[in-house]
Amino acid sequence: MDFGSQYTHLIGRRVRECGVYSEILPYNIEARELLSRKPSALILSGGPASVLARRSPVCSKDIFNMGLPILGICYGAQLLAKALGGKVAKARAREYGRATFKIKSRDGLFKGVLKKETVWMSHGDKITVLPRGFKIIGSTDNAKIAAMGDGTRKFYGVQFHPEVAHTPKGKRILRNFLFDIAECKKNWDIRSFVRSSIQKLKETIGEEKAICALSGGVDSSVLALLLHKAIGKNLTAIFIDNGLLRKDEAKLVKNRFESYYRINLKTLNARDIFLKGLKGVKGPERKRKIIGKLFIEVFEKEAGRLGKIKFLAQGTLYPDVIESRSVLGGPSATIKTHHNVGGLPKKMKFVLIEPLKELFKDEARAAGKELGLSDDIIYRQPFPGPGLAVRVIGAITKERLDILREADWILLDEIKKAKLYRRLWQSFCVLLPVKTVGVMGDKRTYENVLAIRAVNSDDAMTAHWAKLPYELLEKISNRIINEVKGINRVVYDISSKPPSTIEWE
């Protein structure tokens, strides 16, 4: 149940990694509707709100009378405590980051873990009085009740986040809840997801026609094959060359999907349309909105030529959704609008379908492998929906896009030669709206600054800057400055997410 945490879907993902099917539902779902789904257990997510606030998200109290095992995480634990008669108060010292968790009971939820474990905290409130029937099963220096449990009703609450990688034994704790406490069955994997998705697409689309937004990246490629297997000739994959793509992108996509995968592909040259629409626009949110609007306008125009098209499919993944808004209307804080989810107009001629929107990137890659996609697509680094528009900081021009395209090609060429491409989550260049003085051939220059960004990540929700070898960085910098006219200085971004995002815009 989603109470707005940026990590809600990470919980769902961890459950799936354990081989158990999971669904993410809004916090205010009615108990009757919840029961109709026949759940084996409930997990209450964390969230940015305080249970002490007047308008904090609260679930139906009937949820606690359904006889289902419940695990509350952070906000979910505090809500569980308050709803069942316990008390929550503002903590004197907020607890963020790593903490030492001392376990009082090493059975049930904490079976197989040590007496002291490192956990990841992120809270400003704390449980001060236990609800009736609960016991303290874990604590930290700042929180006496860092974990509580009622073994009779199978209700548990933990103040820390077991779903994040910073809690090393978090997955073990979740497995204990799923299998030992809730007695779930291990019966879900990516193969079953692919199978059920194809079946759902057949049922949803029927004999109608669909167009697929194909960019050539992992997400849209998986989507295209999924649709192709579901509806065959009733799919038209549309590739829009918007002038914001990487070098030789259009040629690569055409050869791959039209010739090799035999998918019905329409390639549209819309470079001038997008450049005109983005002329003089500097704000990243405006860029995303404009690109989304133009994207759908171009699609609608092409759809008119193709005949009656009912469905528009997009390869949106969950990190895109969670950073734009809560996927199911939950109270998540908006970080940035993504082209795939936030830039579309409210009124469209199409019914939008996004069959991958509950997957993380690595799960999408696994689905691609199941569908028979080649490794060069499956392991391709993520590329933003708005393309180079959010990597040219400030105003966009064809000249600045061309400079960035050439520099980015050199970066990736050297990263691949160093055999680091698949080890990095993303590596790319950012063209800054800054010029600096340089010296080339005994002459003064006043040219652009280029930033290099390379990060390691598991799911794009958190990321750490990659410690690339100095020799490699030197080689990349020398090549870019010598081979790309218009750049005389290269810098390296050493910030992690959070507090920074992976993309600069």
Side-chain angles (χ1 to χ4, degrees), residues 248-266:
D248 295 333
E249 193 88 20
K251 190 191 301 181
L252 185 68
V253 170
K254 187 175 176 64
N255 291 339
R256 181 180 286 149
F257 290 93
E258 195 173 59
S259 304
Y260 185 76
Y261 291 113
R262 304 290 180 183
I263 289 175
N264 184 22
L265 178 67
K266 296 283 183 183

Side-chain angles (χ1 to χ4, degrees), residues 205-270:
I205 299 171
E207 295 302 315
E208 298 285 350
K209 291 185 178 179
I211 51 178
C212 167
L214 178 64
S215 70
V218 181
D219 317 337
S220 65
S221 299
V222 171
L223 177 73
L225 271 194
L226 203 60
L227 285 160
H228 185 61
K229 288 183 181 291
I231 62 172
K233 63 182 181 181
N234 282 341
L235 167 69
T236 299
I238 297 180
F239 173 72
I240 297 177
D241 183 355
N242 57 12
L244 307 171
L245 305 172
R246 288 170 288 198
K247 189 174 179 179
D248 295 333
E249 193 88 20
K251 190 191 301 181
L252 185 68
V253 170
K254 187 175 176 64
N255 291 339
R256 181 180 286 149
F257 290 93
E258 195 173 59
S259 304
Y260 185 76
Y261 291 113
R262 304 290 180 183
I263 289 175
N264 184 22
L265 178 67
K266 296 283 183 183
T267 302
L268 307 176
N269 185 342

Side-chain angles (χ1 to χ4, degrees), residues 381 391 404-418 420-421 424 426-430 450-454 468 472-473 475-477 479-480 483-484 490-492:
Q381 291 180 0
R391 293 179 180 173
L404 179 58
R405 235 186 300 270
E406 290 300 320
D408 200 63
W409 187 90
I410 291 170
L411 169 70
L412 293 180
D413 183 49
E414 290 298 334
I415 291 287
K416 288 173 182 175
K417 285 178 181 175
L420 292 173
Y421 185 79
L424 295 171
Q426 264 176 289
S427 48
F428 57 90
C429 294
V430 181
L450 184 90
I452 293 172
R453 180 78 158 137
L468 297 181
L472 176 60
L473 287 171
K475 192 172 184 181
I476 292 167
S477 176
R479 279 197 62 188
I480 289 172
E483 297 177 31
V484 183
V490 174
V491 297
Y492 190 53

Side-chain angles (χ1 to χ4, degrees), residues 3-212:
F3 288 90
S5 170
Q6 296 296 330
Y7 301 115
T8 294
H9 204 81
L10 194 51
I11 301 169
R13 177 188 167 194
R14 295 292 184 236
V15 172
R16 293 198 296 268
E17 285 175 355
C18 293
V20 177
Y21 176 69
S22 64
E23 289 184 3
I24 295 175
L25 301 173
Y27 70 89
N28 55 357
I29 187 172
E30 291 184 5
R32 184 183 301 175
E33 184 182 346
L34 187 62
L35 271 176
S36 71
R37 296 172 182 269
K38 299 180 181 178
S40 298
L42 300 178
I43 296 178
L44 313 182
S45 84
S50 165
V51 295
L52 303 173
R54 287 181 62 189
R55 295 186 179 180
S56 59
V58 179
C59 61
S60 167
K61 285 195 174 182
D62 293 337
I63 298 296
F64 304 111
N65 299 317
M66 290 166 53
L68 292 171
I70 295 176
L71 173 63
I73 295 174
C74 196
Y75 178 92
Q78 295 160 6
L79 179 68
L80 185 65
K82 189 180 178 188
L84 297 177
K87 290 186 180 179
V88 177
K90 282 283 180 192
R92 286 184 182 177
R94 296 186 301 174
E95 206 169 17
Y96 292 104
R98 288 182 175 86
T100 299
F101 178 65
K102 300 163 191 173
I103 296 167
K104 295 183 180 295
S105 176
R106 293 174 63 206
D107 56 4
L109 195 64
F110 300 130
K111 186 177 78 174
V113 300
L114 301 175
K115 286 185 177 180
K116 289 185 180 180
E117 289 285 354
T118 298
V119 298
W120 186 260
M121 292 285 196
S122 180
H123 66 98
D125 297 339
K126 64 179 181 179
I127 300 165
T128 56
V129 177
L130 289 168
R132 184 177 295 175
F134 280 80
K135 293 179 180 178
I136 298 174
I137 56 175
S139 61
T140 66
D141 289 341
N142 285 329
K144 183 181 177 182
I145 308 173
M148 62 180 189
D150 178 344
T152 303
R153 288 183 287 181
K154 298 184 177 181
F155 287 177
Y156 294 87
V158 294
Q159 191 61 76
F160 60 87
H161 288 269
E163 72 274 21
V164 301
H166 304 299
T167 301
K169 291 293 178 64
K171 201 168 177 181
R172 175 61 191 262
I173 293 166
L174 287 173
R175 278 202 303 266
N176 288 340
F177 175 72
L178 293 170
F179 300 118
D180 294 347
I181 294 167
E183 299 179 0
C184 294
K185 289 182 171 57
K186 191 173 182 178
N187 56 11
W188 188 92
D189 58 23
I190 203 69
R191 182 174 295 177
S192 64
F193 168 81
V194 169
R195 249 192 335 260
S196 64
S197 295
I198 291 171
Q199 187 57 38
K200 283 179 187 175
L201 287 169
K202 285 180 179 178
E203 292 169 2
T204 301
I205 299 171
E207 295 302 315
E208 298 285 350
K209 291 185 178 179
I211 51 178
C212 167

Side-chain angles (χ1 to χ4, degrees), residues 27 37 168 200 247 251 262 275 326 330 355 379 384 399 411 420 449 464 466-467 478 494:
Y27 70 89
R37 296 172 182 269
K200 283 179 187 175
K247 189 174 179 179
K251 190 191 301 181
R262 304 290 180 183
L275 280 174
S326 174
Y379 296 108
E399 180 190 12
L411 169 70
L420 292 173
V449 178
H464 300 286
K467 295 171 178 61
N478 285 340
I494 59 168

